[in-house]
């Protein structure tokens, strides 16, 4: 009983948790530099300000930890980073929608940099960027919406990486997932919105991750190799084309929760009636399950912490 209660508490934490990264980092975000607040500005958002250069007053800030330079397309990144280099405690750098192809050597001037966002910079030379940041303690790398089709091998040098967002790309290259499997601390991986019709068998190399996002693709089945991902706690697989709840989930030794809403699921395999598995949370909202199947599923999963079949928005 105690073990089950602990499992339910963990499921609750998993349900409520998310990777907020820089959204709640170091209190209030300022959008301008106020000389009276030099010592209080830890988060600075200078995005969308049509900047060509950064104000010199930025060097007078006492403890800058996060800066957002996004969507200032005429901004010289190298000179901006050099001006910012007085801020040795900078941990979060957001460079979205800047038309970036490469990152200058000056990125190495931030010895405590943990998070870099490069959203919406199609045409980036990812291999060059990874080489430039390989000696930094990067934990979160956001490469969303960059028209990427593969990941270069030198990503394996970023051995501190914990969270990697590859959403809105088209990465179906099998070798790329082998490289990701060599990142020892990778905790969360987003490959949603990648137009994936199947997952490569090399997905099994990702046996270190805990949170796995494969939603909003064109998946109809999952490979049996998924069961080799022995440490996954949560899988988000909503908005795909599954017609049956994948049976491989019952073979995953650490899997606690699956979000598989908004698919085409009409049946639950009998394996869930006979196998023992840790799964204790299942969201099946907006799937065309018959009432008979729902009744059977409720009996099969009656000990679950979370079980949902809501049909409100089913199309």
């Amino acid at each position: 009983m105690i073990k089950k209660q602990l499992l339910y508490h963990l499921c609750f934490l998993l349900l409520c948790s998310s990777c907020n990264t820089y959204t709640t980092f170091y209190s209030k975000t300022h959008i301008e530099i106020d000389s009276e607040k030099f010592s209080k500005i830890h988060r600075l958002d200078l995005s969308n300000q049509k900047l060509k250069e950064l104000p010199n007053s930025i060097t007078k800030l006492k403890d800058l930890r996060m800066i957002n330079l996004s969507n200032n397309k005429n901004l010289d990144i190298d000179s901006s980073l050099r001006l910012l280099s007085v801020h040795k405690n900078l941990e979060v750098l957001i460079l979205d929608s800047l038309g970036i192809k490469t990152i200058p050597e000056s990125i190495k001037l931030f010895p405590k940099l943990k998070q870099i966002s490069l959203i919406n910079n199609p045409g980036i030379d990812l291999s060059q960027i990874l080489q430039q940041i390989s000696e930094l303690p990067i934990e979160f790398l956001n490469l969303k919406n960059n028209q990427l089709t593969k990941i270069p091998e030198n990503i394996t040098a970023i051995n501190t990486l914990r969270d990697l967002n590859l959403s809105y790309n088209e990465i179906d290259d099998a070798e790329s997932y082998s490289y990701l499997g060599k990142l020892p601390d990778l905790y969360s991986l987003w490959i949603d919105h990648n137009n994936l019709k199947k997952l490569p068998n090399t997905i099994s190399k990702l046996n270190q991750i805990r949170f796995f996002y494969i939603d909003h693709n064109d998946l109809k089945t999952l490979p049996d190799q998924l069961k080799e991902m022995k440490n996954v706690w949560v899988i988000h697989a909503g908005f795909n084309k599954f017609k049956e709840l994948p049976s491989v989930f019952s073979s995953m030794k650490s899997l606690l929760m699956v979000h598989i809403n908004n698919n085409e699921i009409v049946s639950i395999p009998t394996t869930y009636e006979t196998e023992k598995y840790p799964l204790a949370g299942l969201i099946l909202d907006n799937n065309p399950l018959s009432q008979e199947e729902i009744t059977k599923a409720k009996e099969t999963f009656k000990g679950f912490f979370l079980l949902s079949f809501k049909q409100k928005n089913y199309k």
Side-chain angles (χ1 to χ4, degrees):
M1 178 62 72
I2 293 176
K3 183 177 180 181
K4 182 173 285 189
Q5 288 177 344
L6 289 173
L7 181 62
Y8 288 174
H9 284 305
L10 180 57
C11 282
F12 179 75
L13 290 173
L14 295 177
L15 179 63
C16 296
S17 66
S18 63
C19 185
N20 287 325
T21 63
Y22 30 74
T23 58
T24 57
F25 223 90
Y26 294 108
S27 67
K28 179 182 177 181
T29 300
H30 298 260
I31 61 172
E32 60 184 5
I33 300 174
D34 185 339
S35 61
E36 295 182 2
K37 297 181 179 178
F38 280 161
S39 63
K40 297 181 179 179
I41 297 177
H42 306 301
R43 294 168 48 91
L44 183 61
D45 185 352
L46 298 180
S47 62
N48 302 292
Q49 296 188 23
K50 298 181 179 179
L51 296 175
K52 293 184 179 180
E53 59 183 21
L54 297 183
N56 286 324
S57 57
I58 204 168
T59 62
K60 298 180 180 180
L61 301 182
K62 302 299 183 183
D63 192 22
L64 188 65
R65 299 300 185 95
M66 188 281 283
I67 188 164
N68 187 349
L69 301 177
S70 301
N71 204 29
N72 290 295
K73 301 209 171 174
N74 294 316
L75 189 66
D76 185 289
I77 301 302
D78 185 35
S79 61
S80 297
L81 294 181
R82 293 188 183 280
L83 190 64
L84 284 167
S85 65
V86 297
H87 300 291
K88 299 302 182 185
N89 289 324
L90 190 73
E91 295 188 21
V92 181
L93 179 61
I94 307 176
L95 301 172
D96 301 341
S97 302
L98 287 170
I100 286 175
K101 305 299 181 186
T102 60
I103 283 185
E105 194 86 5
S106 48
I107 193 71
K108 298 178 182 179
L109 298 173
F110 304 96
K112 296 185 179 180
L113 194 62
K114 294 181 179 180
Q115 302 183 21
I116 300 180
S117 182
L118 292 163
I119 296 174
N120 194 33
N121 286 293
I124 60 172
D125 183 343
L126 185 53
S127 182
Q128 186 272 350
I129 289 171
L130 294 173
Q131 181 179 351
Q132 293 286 51
I133 67 175
S134 62
E135 297 177 7
L136 300 175
I138 304 300
E139 296 180 0
F140 175 68
L141 181 58
N142 197 336
L143 296 171
K144 183 177 178 180
N145 195 29
N146 279 309
Q147 299 179 6
L148 299 173
T149 58
K150 61 182 180 179
I151 303 298
E153 184 176 7
N154 64 342
I155 197 169
T156 58
I158 318 295
N159 56 21
T160 53
L161 194 61
R162 287 179 55 82
D163 301 300
L164 178 61
N165 193 330
L166 297 173
S167 302
Y168 290 94
N169 287 291
E170 296 194 13
I171 303 170
D172 61 0
D173 173 62
E175 205 164 22
S176 295
Y177 294 102
S178 293
Y179 299 149
L180 296 181
K182 295 178 181 179
L183 296 169
D185 295 327
L186 191 61
Y187 194 82
S188 305
L189 176 65
W190 288 260
I191 53 170
D192 55 286
H193 296 90
N194 266 251
N195 295 318
L196 296 173
K197 298 188 183 307
K198 63 178 182 178
L199 296 181
N201 293 342
T202 51
I203 204 72
S204 63
K205 303 295 183 182
L206 289 160
N207 60 14
Q208 77 278 45
I209 64 173
R210 297 291 192 180
F211 292 83
F212 191 33
Y213 298 81
I214 54 174
D215 45 298
H216 290 87
N217 280 298
D218 294 317
L219 300 172
K220 295 180 180 180
T221 60
L222 293 175
D224 287 340
Q225 286 80 0
L226 210 67
K227 65 185 178 184
E228 296 175 35
M229 298 173 69
K230 298 177 182 179
N231 290 299
V232 175
W233 287 338
V234 180
I235 292 179
H236 290 256
F239 294 92
N240 277 288
K241 296 182 179 179
F242 297 108
K243 295 186 181 298
E244 181 179 72
L245 181 66
S247 59
V248 70
F249 294 149
S250 68
S251 301
M252 299 182 74
K253 294 182 177 181
S254 297
L255 187 62
L256 297 174
M257 183 175 294
V258 172
H259 300 250
I260 195 162
N261 53 292
N262 294 84
N263 274 274
E264 302 169 9
I265 295 173
V266 296
S267 63
I268 311 293
T270 56
T271 183
Y272 287 99
E273 300 176 29
T274 58
E275 297 290 332
K276 290 185 178 181
Y277 43 83
L279 189 65
L282 182 60
I283 297 177
L284 280 160
D285 297 353
N286 298 329
N287 279 287
L289 288 158
S290 67
Q291 189 55 52
E292 181 181 356
E293 281 292 321
I294 290 175
T295 300
K296 185 177 78 171
K298 285 181 176 179
E299 180 60 27
T300 300
F301 304 125
K302 62 183 177 182
F304 274 29
F305 167 78
L306 176 66
L307 183 63
S308 178
F309 300 96
K310 293 179 183 176
Q311 298 289 307
K312 183 176 180 181
N313 298 314
Y314 183 72
K315 56 183 180 180

Short mmCIF file of all heavy atoms in Angstrom, two decimals, residues 209-260:
data_model
loop_
_atom_site.label_atom_id
_atom_site.label_comp_id
_atom_site.label_asym_id
_atom_site.label_seq_id
_atom_site.Cartn_x
_atom_site.Cartn_y
_atom_site.Cartn_z
N ILE A 209 16.57 8.99 -20.98
CA ILE A 209 15.65 10.11 -20.81
C ILE A 209 14.46 9.74 -19.91
O ILE A 209 14.10 8.58 -19.77
CB ILE A 209 15.15 10.66 -22.17
CG1 ILE A 209 14.32 9.61 -22.92
CG2 ILE A 209 16.30 11.15 -23.01
CD1 ILE A 209 13.69 10.17 -24.18
N ARG A 210 13.85 10.77 -19.34
CA ARG A 210 12.70 10.62 -18.44
C ARG A 210 11.40 11.11 -19.08
O ARG A 210 10.34 10.53 -18.87
CB ARG A 210 12.94 11.39 -17.15
CG ARG A 210 14.11 10.91 -16.32
CD ARG A 210 13.85 9.54 -15.71
NE ARG A 210 14.84 9.19 -14.71
CZ ARG A 210 14.85 8.05 -14.03
NH1 ARG A 210 13.93 7.14 -14.26
NH2 ARG A 210 15.79 7.81 -13.13
N PHE A 211 11.47 12.22 -19.82
CA PHE A 211 10.29 12.81 -20.45
C PHE A 211 10.49 12.79 -21.95
O PHE A 211 11.49 13.27 -22.47
CB PHE A 211 10.08 14.25 -19.97
CG PHE A 211 9.70 14.37 -18.52
CD1 PHE A 211 10.66 14.36 -17.53
CD2 PHE A 211 8.36 14.49 -18.14
CE1 PHE A 211 10.33 14.47 -16.20
CE2 PHE A 211 8.01 14.60 -16.81
CZ PHE A 211 8.99 14.59 -15.84
N PHE A 212 9.51 12.23 -22.67
CA PHE A 212 9.64 12.01 -24.10
C PHE A 212 8.40 12.55 -24.80
O PHE A 212 7.27 12.10 -24.54
CB PHE A 212 9.80 10.51 -24.36
CG PHE A 212 10.20 10.15 -25.76
CD1 PHE A 212 11.03 10.95 -26.51
CD2 PHE A 212 9.76 8.94 -26.32
CE1 PHE A 212 11.42 10.59 -27.79
CE2 PHE A 212 10.14 8.57 -27.60
CZ PHE A 212 10.97 9.40 -28.32
N TYR A 213 8.59 13.53 -25.68
CA TYR A 213 7.48 14.21 -26.37
C TYR A 213 7.50 13.83 -27.85
O TYR A 213 8.37 14.26 -28.60
CB TYR A 213 7.62 15.72 -26.23
CG TYR A 213 7.56 16.21 -24.80
CD1 TYR A 213 8.68 16.15 -23.97
CD2 TYR A 213 6.38 16.74 -24.27
CE1 TYR A 213 8.64 16.59 -22.65
CE2 TYR A 213 6.33 17.20 -22.95
CZ TYR A 213 7.46 17.11 -22.16
OH TYR A 213 7.41 17.55 -20.86
N ILE A 214 6.52 13.03 -28.26
CA ILE A 214 6.41 12.62 -29.67
C ILE A 214 5.04 12.99 -30.22
O ILE A 214 4.58 12.43 -31.22
CB ILE A 214 6.67 11.11 -29.83
CG1 ILE A 214 5.75 10.29 -28.92
CG2 ILE A 214 8.13 10.78 -29.57
CD1 ILE A 214 5.84 8.78 -29.15
N ASP A 215 4.37 13.92 -29.58
CA ASP A 215 3.02 14.31 -30.01
C ASP A 215 3.05 15.12 -31.31
O ASP A 215 4.09 15.58 -31.76
CB ASP A 215 2.32 15.12 -28.90
CG ASP A 215 3.22 16.18 -28.29
OD1 ASP A 215 4.26 15.81 -27.70
OD2 ASP A 215 2.90 17.37 -28.40
N HIS A 216 1.88 15.25 -31.93
CA HIS A 216 1.72 16.01 -33.17
C HIS A 216 2.65 15.52 -34.27
O HIS A 216 3.38 16.29 -34.89
CB HIS A 216 1.94 17.51 -32.92
CG HIS A 216 0.86 18.16 -32.11
ND1 HIS A 216 0.90 18.17 -30.72
CD2 HIS A 216 -0.28 18.80 -32.47
CE1 HIS A 216 -0.18 18.80 -30.26
NE2 HIS A 216 -0.91 19.18 -31.30
N ASN A 217 2.64 14.21 -34.50
CA ASN A 217 3.34 13.62 -35.63
C ASN A 217 2.33 12.78 -36.42
O ASN A 217 1.11 12.97 -36.27
CB ASN A 217 4.52 12.78 -35.15
CG ASN A 217 5.73 13.63 -34.81
OD1 ASN A 217 6.29 14.30 -35.67
ND2 ASN A 217 6.15 13.63 -33.54
N ASP A 218 2.80 11.88 -37.26
CA ASP A 218 1.91 11.01 -38.06
C ASP A 218 2.14 9.56 -37.69
O ASP A 218 2.07 8.67 -38.56
CB ASP A 218 2.15 11.24 -39.55
CG ASP A 218 1.74 12.62 -40.01
OD1 ASP A 218 0.67 13.08 -39.59
OD2 ASP A 218 2.50 13.25 -40.78
N LEU A 219 2.39 9.28 -36.43
CA LEU A 219 2.73 7.93 -35.99
C LEU A 219 1.48 7.05 -35.91
O LEU A 219 0.45 7.46 -35.36
CB LEU A 219 3.40 7.98 -34.61
CG LEU A 219 4.71 8.79 -34.55
CD1 LEU A 219 5.16 8.93 -33.11
CD2 LEU A 219 5.79 8.12 -35.39
N LYS A 220 1.60 5.83 -36.43
CA LYS A 220 0.52 4.84 -36.34
C LYS A 220 0.90 3.68 -35.44
O LYS A 220 0.04 3.02 -34.87
CB LYS A 220 0.18 4.32 -37.75
CG LYS A 220 -0.38 5.37 -38.68
CD LYS A 220 -0.69 4.77 -40.06
CE LYS A 220 -1.26 5.82 -41.00
NZ LYS A 220 -1.55 5.24 -42.34
N THR A 221 2.20 3.43 -35.35
CA THR A 221 2.71 2.35 -34.49
C THR A 221 3.99 2.83 -33.82
O THR A 221 4.57 3.85 -34.21
CB THR A 221 3.02 1.08 -35.31
OG1 THR A 221 4.02 1.40 -36.28
CG2 THR A 221 1.78 0.55 -35.99
N LEU A 222 4.42 2.07 -32.83
CA LEU A 222 5.70 2.34 -32.16
C LEU A 222 6.56 1.08 -32.25
O LEU A 222 6.04 -0.03 -32.12
CB LEU A 222 5.47 2.73 -30.70
CG LEU A 222 4.75 4.06 -30.46
CD1 LEU A 222 4.48 4.26 -28.98
CD2 LEU A 222 5.57 5.23 -31.02
N PRO A 223 7.85 1.23 -32.43
CA PRO A 223 8.72 0.05 -32.54
C PRO A 223 8.86 -0.67 -31.20
O PRO A 223 8.82 -0.06 -30.13
CB PRO A 223 10.06 0.65 -32.98
CG PRO A 223 10.05 2.05 -32.47
CD PRO A 223 8.61 2.50 -32.56
N ASP A 224 9.05 -1.97 -31.26
CA ASP A 224 9.25 -2.76 -30.04
C ASP A 224 10.49 -2.31 -29.27
O ASP A 224 10.59 -2.49 -28.06
CB ASP A 224 9.40 -4.25 -30.39
CG ASP A 224 8.08 -4.88 -30.80
OD1 ASP A 224 7.02 -4.29 -30.47
OD2 ASP A 224 8.10 -5.94 -31.45
N GLN A 225 11.43 -1.69 -29.99
CA GLN A 225 12.66 -1.23 -29.34
C GLN A 225 12.41 -0.16 -28.28
O GLN A 225 13.27 0.13 -27.46
CB GLN A 225 13.64 -0.68 -30.39
CG GLN A 225 14.32 -1.72 -31.25
CD GLN A 225 13.42 -2.22 -32.39
OE1 GLN A 225 12.29 -1.78 -32.56
NE2 GLN A 225 13.96 -3.12 -33.19
N LEU A 226 11.21 0.39 -28.29
CA LEU A 226 10.88 1.41 -27.29
C LEU A 226 11.00 0.85 -25.87
O LEU A 226 11.29 1.59 -24.93
CB LEU A 226 9.45 1.93 -27.52
CG LEU A 226 9.17 3.38 -27.11
CD1 LEU A 226 9.93 4.34 -28.00
CD2 LEU A 226 7.68 3.67 -27.18
N LYS A 227 10.78 -0.44 -25.73
CA LYS A 227 10.84 -1.06 -24.39
C LYS A 227 12.25 -1.01 -23.81
O LYS A 227 12.43 -1.20 -22.60
CB LYS A 227 10.34 -2.50 -24.43
CG LYS A 227 11.18 -3.44 -25.27
CD LYS A 227 10.52 -4.82 -25.34
CE LYS A 227 11.32 -5.77 -26.21
NZ LYS A 227 10.63 -7.08 -26.37
N GLU A 228 13.24 -0.75 -24.67
CA GLU A 228 14.62 -0.64 -24.18
C GLU A 228 14.90 0.72 -23.56
O GLU A 228 15.97 0.94 -22.99
CB GLU A 228 15.58 -0.93 -25.33
CG GLU A 228 15.48 -2.37 -25.85
CD GLU A 228 16.36 -2.60 -27.06
OE1 GLU A 228 17.46 -2.01 -27.12
OE2 GLU A 228 15.95 -3.38 -27.95
N MET A 229 13.94 1.63 -23.67
CA MET A 229 14.07 2.94 -23.01
C MET A 229 13.63 2.75 -21.56
O MET A 229 12.49 3.02 -21.18
CB MET A 229 13.22 3.97 -23.74
CG MET A 229 13.67 4.19 -25.19
SD MET A 229 12.55 5.25 -26.14
CE MET A 229 12.85 6.83 -25.36
N LYS A 230 14.55 2.27 -20.76
CA LYS A 230 14.22 1.74 -19.43
C LYS A 230 13.98 2.79 -18.36
O LYS A 230 13.57 2.46 -17.25
CB LYS A 230 15.33 0.79 -18.98
CG LYS A 230 15.48 -0.42 -19.89
CD LYS A 230 16.64 -1.30 -19.46
CE LYS A 230 16.81 -2.48 -20.41
NZ LYS A 230 17.95 -3.35 -20.02
N ASN A 231 14.24 4.07 -18.66
CA ASN A 231 14.14 5.09 -17.63
C ASN A 231 13.03 6.11 -17.87
O ASN A 231 12.85 7.03 -17.08
CB ASN A 231 15.47 5.83 -17.50
CG ASN A 231 16.55 4.94 -16.89
OD1 ASN A 231 16.41 4.47 -15.77
ND2 ASN A 231 17.61 4.69 -17.63
N VAL A 232 12.28 5.95 -18.95
CA VAL A 232 11.23 6.93 -19.27
C VAL A 232 10.10 6.88 -18.25
O VAL A 232 9.56 5.81 -17.96
CB VAL A 232 10.66 6.69 -20.68
CG1 VAL A 232 9.49 7.62 -20.96
CG2 VAL A 232 11.74 6.91 -21.73
N TRP A 233 9.74 8.05 -17.73
CA TRP A 233 8.60 8.18 -16.81
C TRP A 233 7.32 8.60 -17.54
O TRP A 233 6.25 8.09 -17.25
CB TRP A 233 8.90 9.25 -15.75
CG TRP A 233 9.89 8.87 -14.72
CD1 TRP A 233 10.26 7.61 -14.33
CD2 TRP A 233 10.65 9.77 -13.91
NE1 TRP A 233 11.21 7.67 -13.33
CE2 TRP A 233 11.46 8.98 -13.06
CE3 TRP A 233 10.73 11.16 -13.82
CZ2 TRP A 233 12.33 9.56 -12.13
CZ3 TRP A 233 11.60 11.73 -12.90
CH2 TRP A 233 12.40 10.93 -12.06
N VAL A 234 7.46 9.55 -18.47
CA VAL A 234 6.28 10.16 -19.10
C VAL A 234 6.47 10.22 -20.61
O VAL A 234 7.53 10.64 -21.10
CB VAL A 234 6.03 11.58 -18.56
CG1 VAL A 234 4.80 12.20 -19.23
CG2 VAL A 234 5.85 11.58 -17.05
N ILE A 235 5.44 9.81 -21.34
CA ILE A 235 5.43 9.93 -22.80
C ILE A 235 4.21 10.75 -23.22
O ILE A 235 3.09 10.46 -22.79
CB ILE A 235 5.40 8.56 -23.49
CG1 ILE A 235 6.71 7.82 -23.27
CG2 ILE A 235 5.13 8.70 -24.99
CD1 ILE A 235 6.77 6.43 -23.89
N HIS A 236 4.44 11.76 -24.04
CA HIS A 236 3.36 12.55 -24.65
C HIS A 236 3.25 12.11 -26.11
O HIS A 236 4.15 12.36 -26.90
CB HIS A 236 3.68 14.04 -24.58
CG HIS A 236 3.62 14.60 -23.20
ND1 HIS A 236 2.55 15.37 -22.75
CD2 HIS A 236 4.47 14.51 -22.16
CE1 HIS A 236 2.77 15.72 -21.49
NE2 HIS A 236 3.92 15.22 -21.12
N ALA A 237 2.16 11.44 -26.45
CA ALA A 237 1.99 10.90 -27.80
C ALA A 237 0.66 11.32 -28.42
O ALA A 237 0.13 10.66 -29.31
CB ALA A 237 2.09 9.37 -27.77
N GLY A 238 0.11 12.42 -27.95
CA GLY A 238 -1.17 12.90 -28.47
C GLY A 238 -1.07 13.40 -29.90
O GLY A 238 0.01 13.65 -30.43
N PHE A 239 -2.22 13.51 -30.57
CA PHE A 239 -2.31 14.06 -31.92
C PHE A 239 -1.43 13.30 -32.91
O PHE A 239 -0.65 13.88 -33.65
CB PHE A 239 -1.96 15.55 -31.91
CG PHE A 239 -2.95 16.40 -31.17
CD1 PHE A 239 -2.75 16.68 -29.82
CD2 PHE A 239 -4.08 16.90 -31.80
CE1 PHE A 239 -3.66 17.45 -29.11
CE2 PHE A 239 -5.00 17.68 -31.10
CZ PHE A 239 -4.79 17.94 -29.75
N ASN A 240 -1.55 11.97 -32.87
CA ASN A 240 -0.94 11.11 -33.87
C ASN A 240 -2.05 10.31 -34.56
O ASN A 240 -3.19 10.78 -34.61
CB ASN A 240 0.11 10.20 -33.22
CG ASN A 240 1.44 10.91 -33.04
OD1 ASN A 240 2.16 11.15 -34.00
ND2 ASN A 240 1.78 11.24 -31.79
N LYS A 241 -1.75 9.12 -35.06
CA LYS A 241 -2.74 8.33 -35.80
C LYS A 241 -2.85 6.91 -35.30
O LYS A 241 -3.16 5.99 -36.06
CB LYS A 241 -2.41 8.36 -37.30
CG LYS A 241 -2.50 9.77 -37.90
CD LYS A 241 -2.21 9.78 -39.39
CE LYS A 241 -2.35 11.18 -39.95
NZ LYS A 241 -2.03 11.24 -41.41
N PHE A 242 -2.61 6.72 -34.01
CA PHE A 242 -2.73 5.39 -33.42
C PHE A 242 -4.19 4.95 -33.44
O PHE A 242 -5.09 5.71 -33.07
CB PHE A 242 -2.23 5.39 -31.98
CG PHE A 242 -0.77 5.72 -31.85
CD1 PHE A 242 -0.36 6.94 -31.32
CD2 PHE A 242 0.20 4.81 -32.25
CE1 PHE A 242 0.98 7.25 -31.19
CE2 PHE A 242 1.55 5.11 -32.12
CZ PHE A 242 1.94 6.34 -31.60
N LYS A 243 -4.41 3.70 -33.83
CA LYS A 243 -5.76 3.14 -33.82
C LYS A 243 -5.94 2.18 -32.64
O LYS A 243 -7.07 1.78 -32.32
CB LYS A 243 -6.05 2.41 -35.14
CG LYS A 243 -6.08 3.36 -36.34
CD LYS A 243 -6.51 2.66 -37.60
CE LYS A 243 -6.52 3.61 -38.79
NZ LYS A 243 -7.48 4.71 -38.63
N GLU A 244 -4.83 1.81 -32.02
CA GLU A 244 -4.84 0.93 -30.86
C GLU A 244 -3.82 1.45 -29.87
O GLU A 244 -2.77 1.95 -30.26
CB GLU A 244 -4.49 -0.50 -31.28
CG GLU A 244 -4.50 -1.51 -30.14
CD GLU A 244 -4.17 -2.91 -30.62
OE1 GLU A 244 -2.99 -3.15 -30.95
OE2 GLU A 244 -5.07 -3.76 -30.65
N LEU A 245 -4.13 1.35 -28.59
CA LEU A 245 -3.16 1.74 -27.57
C LEU A 245 -1.93 0.85 -27.74
O LEU A 245 -2.03 -0.37 -27.64
CB LEU A 245 -3.76 1.56 -26.18
CG LEU A 245 -2.85 1.96 -25.01
CD1 LEU A 245 -2.59 3.46 -25.03
CD2 LEU A 245 -3.46 1.53 -23.69
N PRO A 246 -0.76 1.43 -28.01
CA PRO A 246 0.44 0.60 -28.25
C PRO A 246 0.74 -0.33 -27.07
O PRO A 246 0.82 0.11 -25.92
CB PRO A 246 1.55 1.64 -28.43
CG PRO A 246 0.85 2.86 -28.95
CD PRO A 246 -0.47 2.87 -28.23
N SER A 247 0.92 -1.60 -27.37
CA SER A 247 1.15 -2.59 -26.31
C SER A 247 2.55 -2.46 -25.71
O SER A 247 2.79 -2.94 -24.60
CB SER A 247 0.94 -4.00 -26.85
OG SER A 247 1.82 -4.25 -27.94
N VAL A 248 3.46 -1.80 -26.43
CA VAL A 248 4.83 -1.69 -25.95
C VAL A 248 4.92 -0.93 -24.63
O VAL A 248 5.86 -1.13 -23.85
CB VAL A 248 5.73 -1.03 -27.02
CG1 VAL A 248 5.40 0.45 -27.19
CG2 VAL A 248 7.21 -1.20 -26.67
N PHE A 249 3.92 -0.10 -24.34
CA PHE A 249 3.95 0.65 -23.07
C PHE A 249 3.98 -0.29 -21.87
O PHE A 249 4.54 0.05 -20.84
CB PHE A 249 2.74 1.58 -22.96
CG PHE A 249 2.71 2.70 -23.97
CD1 PHE A 249 1.50 3.20 -24.44
CD2 PHE A 249 3.89 3.26 -24.44
CE1 PHE A 249 1.47 4.25 -25.36
CE2 PHE A 249 3.87 4.30 -25.38
CZ PHE A 249 2.66 4.79 -25.83
N SER A 250 3.37 -1.45 -22.01
CA SER A 250 3.33 -2.41 -20.90
C SER A 250 4.67 -3.07 -20.65
O SER A 250 4.86 -3.75 -19.64
CB SER A 250 2.26 -3.47 -21.15
OG SER A 250 2.64 -4.31 -22.23
N SER A 251 5.63 -2.88 -21.57
CA SER A 251 6.96 -3.49 -21.43
C SER A 251 8.01 -2.48 -20.98
O SER A 251 9.19 -2.84 -20.88
CB SER A 251 7.40 -4.10 -22.76
OG SER A 251 6.49 -5.07 -23.20
N MET A 252 7.59 -1.25 -20.73
CA MET A 252 8.55 -0.21 -20.36
C MET A 252 8.64 -0.15 -18.84
O MET A 252 7.67 0.16 -18.15
CB MET A 252 8.13 1.12 -20.97
CG MET A 252 8.09 1.07 -22.49
SD MET A 252 7.66 2.62 -23.30
CE MET A 252 9.19 3.54 -23.06
N LYS A 253 9.82 -0.42 -18.31
CA LYS A 253 10.00 -0.73 -16.90
C LYS A 253 9.79 0.44 -15.95
O LYS A 253 9.56 0.24 -14.76
CB LYS A 253 11.40 -1.31 -16.68
CG LYS A 253 11.59 -2.67 -17.35
CD LYS A 253 12.96 -3.24 -17.05
CE LYS A 253 13.13 -4.62 -17.67
NZ LYS A 253 14.46 -5.21 -17.38
N SER A 254 9.89 1.67 -16.44
CA SER A 254 9.76 2.83 -15.56
C SER A 254 8.59 3.73 -15.94
O SER A 254 8.34 4.74 -15.27
CB SER A 254 11.05 3.65 -15.57
OG SER A 254 12.12 2.90 -15.05
N LEU A 255 7.88 3.39 -17.01
CA LEU A 255 6.83 4.27 -17.53
C LEU A 255 5.66 4.40 -16.56
O LEU A 255 5.03 3.41 -16.20
CB LEU A 255 6.34 3.75 -18.88
CG LEU A 255 5.36 4.66 -19.64
CD1 LEU A 255 6.01 5.99 -19.98
CD2 LEU A 255 4.87 3.96 -20.91
N LEU A 256 5.36 5.64 -16.15
CA LEU A 256 4.29 5.89 -15.19
C LEU A 256 3.09 6.58 -15.80
O LEU A 256 1.97 6.40 -15.32
CB LEU A 256 4.84 6.76 -14.04
CG LEU A 256 5.95 6.15 -13.19
CD1 LEU A 256 6.47 7.18 -12.21
CD2 LEU A 256 5.45 4.92 -12.47
N MET A 257 3.31 7.38 -16.85
CA MET A 257 2.19 8.15 -17.40
C MET A 257 2.31 8.28 -18.91
O MET A 257 3.41 8.52 -19.43
CB MET A 257 2.14 9.54 -16.75
CG MET A 257 0.95 10.38 -17.22
SD MET A 257 0.85 11.95 -16.31
CE MET A 257 0.49 11.33 -14.67
N VAL A 258 1.17 8.14 -19.59
CA VAL A 258 1.12 8.31 -21.05
C VAL A 258 -0.03 9.25 -21.40
O VAL A 258 -1.17 9.05 -20.98
CB VAL A 258 0.90 6.96 -21.77
CG1 VAL A 258 0.66 7.19 -23.26
CG2 VAL A 258 2.11 6.04 -21.57
N HIS A 259 0.30 10.30 -22.15
CA HIS A 259 -0.70 11.18 -22.74
C HIS A 259 -0.85 10.75 -24.20
O HIS A 259 0.06 10.97 -25.00
CB HIS A 259 -0.24 12.64 -22.70
CG HIS A 259 0.00 13.17 -21.32
ND1 HIS A 259 -0.80 14.11 -20.74
CD2 HIS A 259 0.97 12.88 -20.41
CE1 HIS A 259 -0.34 14.41 -19.53
NE2 HIS A 259 0.74 13.67 -19.32
N ILE A 260 -1.98 10.17 -24.56
CA ILE A 260 -2.17 9.70 -25.93
C ILE A 260 -3.56 10.12 -26.41
O ILE A 260 -4.30 9.39 -27.06
CB ILE A 260 -1.93 8.16 -26.03
CG1 ILE A 260 -1.76 7.73 -27.48
CG2 ILE A 260 -2.97 7.37 -25.26
CD1 ILE A 260 -1.11 6.38 -27.67
#
